[in-house]
Amino acid sequence: MVQVQARMSSIAGQAGQQAWHARPLPLAPVAAQGRLSDLLSIMGANIDDRRLCDAYLIPLRRVRAGVVLLHEGTRAESVYVVRFGTFKTLRVAEDGYEQVLGFSGQADVIGFDALCSGSHPSSAVALEDAGVYALPIRELDGLRQRVPALDRALQSALSAQLAGAAGIAEVMAAVASEARLARFLLQRSMRMAALGQSTRRLRLPMSRRDIASHLGVAHETVSRSFGELVNWGFVAVDNREVEILDTDGLRGIARNTRGCPDERGSEAPQRRARTRRTARPCASSVAA
Amino acid sequence: MVQVQARMSSIAGQAGQQAWHARPLPLAPVAAQGRLSDLLSIMGANIDDRRLCDAYLIPLRRVRAGVVLLHEGTRAESVYVVRFGTFKTLRVAEDGYEQVLGFSGQADVIGFDALCSGSHPSSAVALEDAGVYALPIRELDGLRQRVPALDRALQSALSAQLAGAAGIAEVMAAVASEARLARFLLQRSMRMAALGQSTRRLRLPMSRRDIASHLGVAHETVSRSFGELVNWGFVAVDNREVEILDTDGLRGIARNTRGCPDERGSEAPQRRARTRRTARPCASSVAA
DNA sequence: CGATCGTTTGACGGTGCTCAATCACCGTGG
DNA sequence: CCACGGTGATTGAGCACCGTCAAACGATCG
């Protein structure tokens, strides 16, 4: 299950990706179609016109692990809504550094940031086999007008995406690398909660390098930080399976953006112990 | 002009802010109104129904420097479009650290991220005297339906905001603090270009601390980085007035996200000299 | 003038980046 | 079957850079 994306290459090595496209596919890049009502239910919208939504069909596109859904700089044709699977969105800097902006899962909208300019400012790569609804931009206005439910759902999803964009700032704002990783894990956990899944057991579909890019640290540091969190007993890690053992402890680590305790000390001993590492930090919930 | 926001306090010290609200204002928080056509022209939209857009009036709200337009956690009433002035948007972490997410100027949309949840996930504070159009959320759907031009303009603005959200990742991704600052200045410059203004002379309405928070560094480091850029001759700084003297040089500094030259060396000597600082770096455009 | 805030500069210590080696896993081909 | 190459993950060592603490300076306001 996990190994299926072992040969996922970076966006830079797209020669291999295009080979994927060049394979003798069934000739039809968009074969399947899905019902609009299914799309709406995935997005959590109320359906106002059941008959129309059942009848209306939306192009459905399957994306295999490692395949590029959108390529930075290309013309924008469609906006996508994730049906299943996970994507990473990224931008490649001038120096070739791959900056991972975020990870998109079920019900997330991909590619909307291209509407204003007409070409995609960021790429999207499937981290595992995935399926997306494709909303052609040419039909988007008409569709939104005819189906108010879709309009509202899109608005809401975009609003959520805008609110979620602060997430990358949140993880990168922390000074300590363990805090960044802790915040990232807590974000993933909360996302799982929003989807009604287990908040303790996380499956990370992305590589350590992707996490590192998203956190703004070197990928070796991600490994070390995972090690520290394990040493402190906050999580258990098995490759890309992560189990959160002590949510409050993790939150304690994630709390401190930077050293200054904001001059209102005398409240809680919530400072990370300067214990030259590998010693358990303060531990807000452990003393209890 | 600049000093007017000298007493802008951090969001943490909101006691002062609320005092502003408690002042004996003219009793009418929303006094003026603006024409819809003006709003559309600011947003760069084509007007399809001139008569309707000239007649329709939008609530207009003036915001003085330092005043909180939106407060994190409060119920969402309106979405705002900036007519003039500058705002900073921010979130306060649990530890009281104020994370500046971005800066909003003319034609930017503020508060849209609250639509999905009904309450604002971030605050917005005026950095200078400003004016905003207020679009009540209750009327938003109807307004968009009646005025397709507004609908398109909003879509486009949101798309641009989504694309711009990558900006904070861009600045924070750089390892060297001078690269972060250089990227930030280049972003500001490009924004000025988009507005048709001078790209060399920048007026930064925000404090060093705000910049520091946005770049993810200590505010002392911002000062030092400004100093380095000045030493290298790339910019001239006078308090909050910045003049870009060497755009290519600045770009050269901004290029290197991190040390790894991406293994395709032999192209340009675009590595920062390990010169223990204060010595001019490689200088891509200086050799010419 | 004193108080407060913003900005700048200095010194020190620690953390994470860089460079490197090692291990584990997988797919391929002899 | 095992050797081989490739990739991802982990661990180690050294040092430069930035965060922290501290102090000084300037500007604004009462």
Side-chain angles (χ1 to χ4, degrees), chain B residues 3 175-177 217-218 220-221 224 276-277:
Chain B
Q3 306 86 315
V175 281
S177 60
V217 298
E220 298 98 325
T221 302
R224 280 185 253 268
R276 206 70 192 92
R277 258 56 199 287

Side-chain angles (χ1 to χ4, degrees), chain A residues 4 6-7 14 45 67 111 127 138 156 214 217-218 242 245 249 275 281:
Chain A
V4 72
R7 57 166 49 202
Q14 56 175 310
V67 170
L127 294 175
R138 297 178 54 98
S156 183
H214 186 241
V217 298
V242 175
L245 302 174
T275 49

